[in-house]
Amino acid sequence: MAGAAWLVRGVWEIRLAVAGEPASGPPDQGDGVHRPLNGLEDSYHVVTSLGGGVAFVCALLFLAWLWRVRDNARVLSGRTPKYLGIWVYLGWVVPVVNLWFPRGIVADAFRATAPERKLPVSVNVWWVLWLIGMFGGVGLVSRDSTDEIIARAYEEVWPLLMADAAVVGAAVAGAFAVRAVTAAQVERIRQVQGRGVAEESVGVVGG
């Protein structure tokens, strides 16, 4: 869903670039002056607002999943997770540590669940693309206002589209990463449950 939202944003940015900047200049005229938006610019505001809402819902769902797999890994492995639970939330916003903590939590959960397996490639692809999108200035964390992004689309749209593509790619890779980690935990849970049933059967026969 988040990837689709950013794909739509990219389409609107292409439309802005093709239409070209109006003779009146960018929306933000400087010194606190903003000109009235035209129809295309106004619709881009709507697209980004809706996309932001979709991304927020996806972020909440992802955080809930991340907490769940971290907790599952703790129970399955019997060891304390490498990262404290508070980092499931703060790891995304605290400078410097947000460059690797979220990936580290996912990787730690997978390795605790399936220590004999290699970390899925999708986890690393997701994280690299996430960082590219984030530093591209149009990711889920953006320092530019919507009007400033519109001005960037008029001036040079390619950097925006590259960042959009990274966010879309991160969403797709993230979906594969979620499936891979979840599948590993489901398999491990079934193995544990299977051993429990076998032990109960032996106990009944022995009795």
Side-chain angles (χ1 to χ4, degrees):
M1 290 174 60
W6 253 252
L7 182 62
V8 173
R9 281 182 60 145
V11 171
W12 249 254
E13 286 158 6
I14 292 174
R15 292 182 63 192
L16 288 166
V18 171
E21 186 174 84
S24 54
D28 186 350
Q29 304 276 297
D31 297 325
V33 178
H34 288 73
R35 65 165 172 76
L37 299 176
N38 60 36
L40 182 57
E41 294 166 345
D42 195 44
S43 65
Y44 183 72
H45 272 266
V46 174
V47 166
T48 55
S49 295
L50 292 176
V54 170
F56 179 72
V57 172
C58 290
L60 292 179
L61 293 173
F62 184 82
L63 290 176
W65 171 83
L66 191 57
W67 184 272
R68 183 74 173 270
V69 294
R70 177 185 176 277
D71 194 49
N72 286 345
R74 178 183 59 79
V75 174
L76 290 169
S77 65
R79 69 173 178 81
T80 303
K82 182 178 179 181
Y83 299 89
L84 295 176
I86 191 64
W87 291 116
V88 170
Y89 307 104
L90 294 184
W92 300 89
V93 296
V94 176
V96 182
V97 301
N98 63 354
L99 298 178
W100 76 87
F101 268 34
R103 176 202 171 275
I105 294 171
V106 175
D108 184 57
F110 180 84
R111 288 168 178 151
T113 301
E116 73 285 355
R117 297 186 188 179
K118 291 184 179 180
L119 184 69
V121 175
S122 56
V123 173
N124 290 326
V125 173
W126 155 67
W127 190 243
V128 169
L129 291 175
W130 165 266
L131 292 179
I132 292 173
M134 184 173 66
F135 286 113
V138 292
L140 300 182
V141 180
S142 177
R143 295 184 179 86
D144 291 345
S145 68
T146 303
D147 284 346
E148 289 172 330
I149 294 177
I150 290 173
R152 289 171 60 187
Y154 284 141
E155 295 169 0
E156 191 174 10
V157 74
W158 293 109
L160 292 177
L161 295 180
M162 290 177 62
D164 287 332
V167 173
V168 173
V172 174
F176 280 101
V178 166
R179 288 177 61 87
V181 176
T182 301
Q185 291 200 337
V186 169
E187 181 181 345
R188 179 70 182 279
I189 290 170
R190 287 174 177 170
Q191 290 174 351
V192 171
Q193 290 175 338
R195 285 198 299 268
V197 171
E199 290 173 358
E200 289 179 3
S201 299
V202 171
V204 170
V205 173

